C-alpha cells in the first residue's frame, strides 16, 4: 500500500540530505555525484556525542546511535580474529556518529530548527 509513495519519500529525503550537507557545520555524509540514496539514515560526526544527544533531545530532536559497535568488533565476526585496536580510526569514529532526523514529513521550519540547534551546539 505504501510502495506507491516510495519515490516521493526518497526524493524528499534526498532533498533534506542536500540541505543538511549544505548548511550543517559538522562532518556529514558525503553525497556521491550521479548517485541516488534512500537516506534511511543521515549520520553526522560530532565530538562529545552523549552531551550533544542530550542537548538535541532537550530541544525535542530525536537522535540515535544505529551502529555502536564497529563491524570488526561485532560478535558475528569474532571468528575473523580482529581485536580492539586493529582499526583505530574506525573505532574512534564509531564513538562520534549520531543519526539525526531525515524523514519525508520534516517541513522546512523543522529542518532549519534542527540545523540551527546543531550549528549552535556548545558543549
Amino acid at each position: 500500500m505504501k510502495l506507491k509513495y516510495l519515490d516521493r519519500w526518497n526524493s524528499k529525503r534526498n532533498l533534506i540530505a542536500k540541505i543538511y550537507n549544505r548548511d550543517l557545520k559538522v562532518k556529514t555524509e558525503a553525497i556521491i555525484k550521479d548517485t541516488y540514496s534512500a537516506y534511511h539514515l543521515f549520520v553526522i560526526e560530532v565530538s562529545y556525542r552523549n552531551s550533544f544527544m542530550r542537548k538535541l533531545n532537550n530541544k525535542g530532536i530525536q537522535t540515535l546511535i544505529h551502529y555502536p559497535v564497529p563491524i570488526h568488533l561485532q560478535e558475528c565476526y569474532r571468528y575473523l580474529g580482529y581485536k580492539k585496536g586493529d582499526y583505530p580510526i574506525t573505532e574512534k569514529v564509531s564513538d562520534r556518529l549520531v543519526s539525526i532526523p531525515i524523514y519525508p514529513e520534516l517541513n522546512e521550519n523543522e529542518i532549519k530548527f534542527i540545523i540551527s540547534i546543531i550549528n549552535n551546539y556548545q558543549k
Side-chain angles (χ1 to χ4, degrees):
M1 194 63 134
K2 293 185 178 187
L3 193 56
K4 64 183 177 183
Y5 302 109
L6 186 60
D7 289 338
R8 186 175 348 146
W9 290 343
N10 286 343
S11 292
K12 180 68 187 284
R13 283 192 294 271
N14 271 265
L15 174 64
I16 295 167
K18 285 179 185 175
I19 295 168
Y20 280 163
N21 271 305
R22 182 190 70 208
D23 295 346
L24 283 172
K25 296 176 183 173
V26 295
K27 189 168 185 178
T28 62
E29 295 184 35
I31 295 180
I32 301 168
K33 187 179 178 186
D34 299 324
T35 64
Y36 190 77
S37 174
Y39 283 105
H40 168 67
L41 303 174
F42 193 89
V43 180
I44 61 174
E45 184 178 338
V46 297
S47 300
Y48 311 107
R49 179 170 66 188
N50 292 339
S51 61
F52 176 84
M53 291 176 70
R54 271 193 304 278
K55 171 79 169 199
L56 268 65
N57 187 58
N58 289 339
K59 297 288 186 177
I61 302 169
Q62 183 183 31
T63 58
L64 295 168
I65 301 169
H66 280 91
Y67 303 104
V69 179
I71 291 174
H72 70 284
L73 296 178
Q74 291 181 14
E75 184 66 32
C76 60
Y77 294 108
R78 179 169 283 182
Y79 73 93
L80 294 173
Y82 294 112
K83 62 189 178 313
K84 191 169 179 77
D86 284 345
Y87 293 96
I89 295 171
T90 298
E91 293 165 24
K92 178 182 175 184
V93 170
S94 75
D95 290 335
R96 299 167 56 100
L97 299 179
V98 177
S99 298
I100 62 173
I102 187 161
Y103 52 91
E105 295 81 14
L106 278 174
N107 66 46
E108 185 177 342
N109 288 333
E110 291 169 323
I111 295 165
K112 287 180 181 178
F113 178 71
I114 291 166
I115 291 168
S116 173
I117 297 300
I118 291 173
N119 284 346
N120 293 306
Y121 169 76
Q122 294 184 17
K123 181 182 169 200

